[in-house]
């Protein structure tokens, strides 16, 4: 130790306090950030559950009103007598009592003869969805209509007396009131329909857009602006906490109503404020401790000048360190942006892998059929039956053509919706699929029953992909009844408002309906299935504007139902003829 130096233990104590302060601040910041972030997430999810409950409550409360008003003797009498002098007053009284957004009474021609908004009297709504759907259903129907500045949510029901349709009662759900209540918080809230379009939002400019399109709106005002405008934070946030580079928390909840979903964005600003307040107290405590140590150093007269010089050097080093930390943070932000781009590219590669697995799954069907036909052709040739063998070779040629068509669908799996659609007869698609499955069905004692209409059932679809869906359902049915002595499979085509294809079996049924359409989930043994068939089939039906559902039958077995819009809406249901 030099004459003007400080004792080594004193310098070690100062260094230890400084290192302990850095470690303590870093640990406290990480722990408190995680804890407060979780608390914020829980509060956001609770608010989302509350909003979802309020929305469902409003919809359920409004849903019963058309049924009550459709049975009102006064309204029925007005429609019968064409005397509507007191109708609007009666509807206004009903509106005040139930709190609906609006109530309208339409006669059989679609003309508004009574309304809570008198400016709507006399308006012709013969082409409006709530009028058309109510006449078709003869039940309470729910419709959503884009009114330019927002969406109108209505329940409507036909007014029927003595078997005659007299008119339609239309009741509007007051969801804008809930939307205004959401705008009073700092979160941004949006509700999307089954197609991903925003129908309710605290940001008016979001309505009618998809969520990616809405997040691209840079100059969004009010709540979302407050949620996104977060000051620079030196604490590294999780990558999934960023939306377009801003530190916000995204929560999502499923609304059990027509596939709606509710999404909210919550800022991390409150978390940062709470953490910074505690860190400030902790830093202040260490600062006081360090100040005491420096005071002891300054009290030593013999090393006073050396202590002053060291303090100056420490301050310069601290300043340089802070400068390096700032530069390091800027570098980390650049690396974060690169990492986000890498994650996006990885997502694309994952999607490509899933498509490739799907094509491999679909090619297994014609390959298995080709193997069966080749074995049959070999046997026929050995027996000198060349003409019949040529028929098998022709079928193999058809399968090769089909495999080529399936591989051309690789691009279709990559996009969200199909484009190459044309009118297709469901009966022909079912017959083609059964022909494709003939080798598998022939080798097993399975009774197959077809129930097809006498007339065409036309839908808009890609024939190859539609047949793939039906084949997937038939293969699942065959696998389900493989251990049954009285194995039965029934395939039915029905028409009504939409076209339906039902595939029933008498197998053990479905054990887990929730995971049935998830990719790579299967109940088959390893090597017997990829778990992609139903997931791909559901995606194909969504591309065609339809859907694929499943349930267990009342008498056992599984029932898969394909529902698609008819090519010519309004076509009467034709009588089924059992083959």
């Amino acid at each position: 130790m030099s004459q003007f130096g400080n004792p080594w233990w004193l310098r070690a104590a100062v260094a230890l306090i400084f290192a302990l302060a850095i470690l303590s601040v870093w640990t406290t910041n990480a722990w408190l950030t995680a804890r407060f972030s979780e608390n914020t997430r829980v509060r956001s999810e609770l608010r989302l559950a509350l909003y979802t409950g309020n929305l469902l409550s409003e919809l359920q409360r409004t849903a019963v009103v058309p049924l009550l008003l459709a049975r009102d003797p006064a309204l029925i009498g007005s429609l019968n007598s064409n005397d509507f002098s007191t109708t609007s007053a009666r509807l206004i009284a009903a509106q005040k009592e139930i709190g609906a957004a609006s109530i309208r009474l339409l006669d059989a021609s679609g003309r508004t003869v009574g309304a809570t908004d008198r400016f709507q009297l006399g308006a012709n709504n013969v082409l409006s969805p709530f009028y058309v759907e109510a006449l078709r259903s003869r039940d309470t129907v729910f419709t959503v209509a884009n009114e330019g500045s927002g969406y109108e949510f209505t329940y409507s029901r036909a007014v029927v007396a003595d078997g005659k349709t007299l008119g339609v009662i239309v009741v509007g759900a007051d969801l804008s009131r809930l939307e205004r209540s959401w705008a009073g918080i700092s979160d941004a809230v949006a509700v999307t329909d089954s197609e991903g379009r925003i129908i309710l939002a605290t940001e008016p400019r979001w309505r009618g857009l998809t969520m990616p399109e809405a997040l691209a709106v840079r100059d969004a005002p009010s709540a979302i602006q407050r949620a996104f405008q977060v000051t620079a934070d030196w604490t590294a946030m999780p990558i999934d906490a960023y939306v377009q580079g801003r530190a916000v928390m995204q929560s999502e909840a499923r609304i059990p109503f027509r596939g709606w979903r509710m999404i909210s964005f919550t800022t991390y600003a409150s978390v940062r404020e709470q953490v910074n307040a505690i860190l400030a107290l902790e830093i202040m405590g260490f600062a006081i401790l360090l100040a005491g140590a420096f005071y002891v150093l300054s009290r030593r007269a013999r090393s006073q000048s050396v202590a002053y010089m060291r303090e100056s050097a420490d301050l310069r080093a601290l300043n340089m360190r802070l400068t390096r930390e700032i530069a390091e943070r800027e570098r980390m932000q650049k690396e974060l942006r690169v990492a986000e781009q890498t994650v996006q590219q990885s997502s694309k590669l994952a999607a490509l892998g899933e498509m490739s697995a799907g094509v491999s799954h679909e090619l297994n069907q014609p390959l298995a059929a080709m193997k069966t036909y080749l074995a049959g052709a070999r046997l026929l040739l050995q027996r000198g039956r060349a003409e019949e063998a040529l028929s098998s070779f022709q079928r193999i040629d058809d399968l090769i053509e089909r495999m080529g068509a399936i591989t051309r669908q690789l691009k279709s799996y990559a996009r969200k919706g199909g484009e190459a659609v044309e009118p297709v007869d469901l009966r022909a698609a079912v017959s083609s699929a059964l022909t494709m499955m003939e080798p598998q069905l022939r080798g097993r004692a399975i009774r197959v029953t077809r129930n097809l209409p006498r007339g065409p059932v036309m839908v808009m679809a890609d024939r190859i992909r539609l047949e793939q869906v039906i084949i997937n359902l038939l293969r699942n049915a065959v696998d389900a009844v493989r251990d049954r002595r009285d194995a039965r499979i029934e395939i039915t085509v029905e028409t009504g408002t939409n076209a339906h294809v039902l595939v029933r079996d008498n197998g053990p049924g479905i054990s887990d309906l929730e995971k049935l359409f998830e990719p790579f989930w299967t109940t088959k043994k390893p090597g017997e299935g990829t778990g992609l068939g139903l997931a791909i089939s559901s995606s194909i039906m969504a591309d065609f504007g339809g859907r694929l559902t499943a349930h267990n039958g009342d008498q056992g077995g599984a029932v898969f139902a394909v529902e698609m819009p008819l090519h010519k809406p309004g076509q009467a249901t034709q009588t089924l003829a059992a083959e």
Side-chain angles (χ1 to χ4, degrees), residues 13 44 63 77 92-93 159 166 238 250 257 263 276 322 423 504 564 567 572:
S44 175
I92 292 174
V159 180
L166 303 178
Q250 177 177 347
F257 182 80
I263 304 172
N276 287 344
L322 290 175
R504 297 184 177 91
M564 298 180 66
H567 177 47

Side-chain angles (χ1 to χ4, degrees), residues 230-308:
V230 182
T231 56
D233 180 12
W234 58 271
T235 302
M237 302 297 293
I239 293 179
D240 60 355
Y242 283 82
V243 176
Q244 290 197 349
R246 310 286 182 86
V248 294
M249 179 188 300
Q250 177 177 347
S251 301
E252 185 172 341
R254 185 179 65 87
I255 303 175
F257 182 80
R258 292 179 173 267
W260 289 10
R261 305 191 74 83
M262 182 175 291
I263 304 172
S264 71
F265 297 96
T266 305
T267 176
Y268 279 102
S270 59
V271 174
R272 190 70 266 146
E273 291 174 358
Q274 298 178 56
V275 174
N276 287 344
I278 298 177
L279 291 180
L281 293 176
E282 187 175 8
I283 292 174
M284 184 179 297
F286 280 107
I288 294 174
L289 186 60
L290 287 173
F294 283 120
Y295 176 75
V296 173
L297 293 176
S298 65
R299 293 287 296 175
R300 305 183 66 85
R302 63 179 181 177
S303 59
Q304 186 174 18
S305 59
V306 176
Y308 287 157

Side-chain angles (χ1 to χ4, degrees), residues 62 65-66 69 91 100-106 112 114-116 120 125 128-131 134 141 143 152-159 167-173:
T62 309
V65 177
L69 294 179
L91 294 181
S102 64
I103 304 177
R104 282 170 282 179
L105 178 63
L106 314 180
T112 303
T116 54
Q120 296 181 354
N125 299 277
S128 300
F130 52 75
Y131 175 78
V141 296
T143 55
E152 180 185 21
F153 307 89
T154 57
Y155 282 95
S156 59
R157 186 183 181 93
V159 180
V168 174
I169 188 73
V170 183
V171 180

Side-chain angles (χ1 to χ4, degrees), residues 43-56 253 262:
R43 288 196 299 270
S44 175
E45 292 175 352
L46 289 177
R47 279 197 300 269
L48 214 57
L50 176 62
Y51 295 159
T52 301
N54 292 339
L55 181 61
L56 287 175
M262 182 175 291

Side-chain angles (χ1 to χ4, degrees), residues 31 87 101 185 200 249 257 268 293 309 322 331 343 358 381 419 467 495 501 516 535 560 565:
W31 183 74
T87 302
I185 61 174
L200 290 173
M249 179 188 300
F257 182 80
Y268 279 102
M309 293 176 62
L322 290 175
R331 185 183 64 82
V343 169
L381 288 175
E419 297 176 357
E467 291 176 8
T495 60
V501 179
L516 187 61
F560 286 86

